[in-house]
Amino acid sequence: MPSMGIYSYELYKFYDVDNIIRVGSAGAYAPDLKLFDVVLANEVYSDSNYAKVQNGYDKNINYPSFELNEKIINAANKLNINMKTGRIYSSDVFYKQDENHMDMYKDKKCLCVEMESFALFHNASVLGKKAACLLTISDSFVLHEETTSEERQNSFNQMIEIALNSI
C-alpha cells in the first residue's frame, strides 16, 4: 500500500491524472472463484492504517468510482467476458501466518485479497479523483492452487482487455 499510496497520490495531485484503474493479481477466498477468474471491486475492506495515518480516516471500507466501475462492467459485457463483482480485502500482508481465510470470506464477505486498492481508493476520494480495481485470480486459498510465473505473465489477458476497452 505505501507504494500505491505515493504513486497514485503523485499522479493525481502533480500530474493531473483523473482516473486510475489498478489491474493485478489476487488470492481467492470465495470457493466459487477459480484461477484466472476476473474480479471487479465494488468496495474494499482493509485493516491497514494507511488512511488513518494519511488524513485521519478511521473506517475499514473504501469505495471505487461508480462511474469507472460502470465503464468496466460495460466493457466486460461487450467483450462477453464473465466478471465477478464484490467486496475485496486489501491487506498489508498477503500471506498471513495462521490466518483462516474462510473467516475473511464469511465474516467480512471478501471474495479475494490484494494489496493496493485501499490506498488507491482513499487517495482518489481525498483528491476528488476516480479509481477502480480489476483483478485476476492467481492463487486460491480455498482450493490451494496457484498460477505459475509464466501463466501470470501470459494469461491475464481478459483483465487487460476489459481495462483497455473501458477507457
Side-chain angles (χ1 to χ4, degrees):
M1 268 189 256
S3 293
M4 175 57 81
I6 193 169
Y7 295 138
S8 63
Y9 190 91
E10 290 180 352
L11 286 169
Y12 286 140
K13 180 93 174 173
F14 305 121
Y15 294 93
D16 297 321
V17 170
D18 292 319
N19 304 298
I20 297 176
I21 300 172
R22 179 243 189 291
V23 293
S25 60
Y29 290 151
D32 63 328
L33 283 177
K34 307 295 183 242
L35 296 182
F36 305 107
D37 281 354
V38 179
V39 177
L40 176 64
N42 64 9
E43 60 183 35
V44 60
Y45 169 84
S46 186
D47 48 17
S48 172
N49 65 356
Y50 177 86
K52 185 173 185 177
V53 171
Q54 200 273 345
N55 77 334
Y57 182 82
D58 63 356
K59 302 200 176 18
N60 294 95
I61 305 288
N62 263 318
Y63 300 92
S65 161
F66 176 78
E67 181 182 328
L68 263 184
N69 270 16
E70 282 299 307
K71 289 180 181 183
I72 291 168
I73 290 167
N74 290 338
N77 289 338
K78 285 180 186 173
L79 292 167
N80 201 27
I81 296 174
N82 185 29
M83 182 176 67
K84 309 247 192 300
T85 302
R87 176 186 282 183
I88 65 170
Y89 175 45
S90 190
S91 179
D92 289 332
V93 179
F94 192 80
Y95 299 107
K96 290 184 179 180
Q97 292 301 105
D98 303 322
E99 179 180 38
N100 185 339
H101 304 292
M102 288 310 291
D103 287 346
M104 188 58 68
Y105 175 65
K106 289 178 183 174
D107 296 342
K108 304 296 184 195
K109 309 295 186 234
C110 295
L111 300 178
C112 58
V113 59
E114 56 83 63
M115 302 181 72
E116 288 88 10
S117 64
F118 188 77
L120 173 63
F121 292 178
H122 179 73
N123 283 343
S125 176
V126 165
L127 297 170
K129 303 291 185 162
K130 296 176 184 156
C133 181
L134 191 57
L135 303 164
T136 297
I137 299 301
S138 60
D139 303 82
S140 174
F141 291 106
V142 179
L143 303 174
H144 308 288
E145 299 175 335
E146 61 184 50
T147 57
T148 65
S149 296
E150 186 175 329
E151 288 173 323
R152 291 175 195 215
Q153 175 181 316
N154 298 323
S155 302
F156 285 14
N157 300 335
Q158 289 185 323
M159 167 183 65
I160 301 299
E161 286 178 44
I162 294 168
L164 291 173
N165 278 278
S166 71
I167 56 173

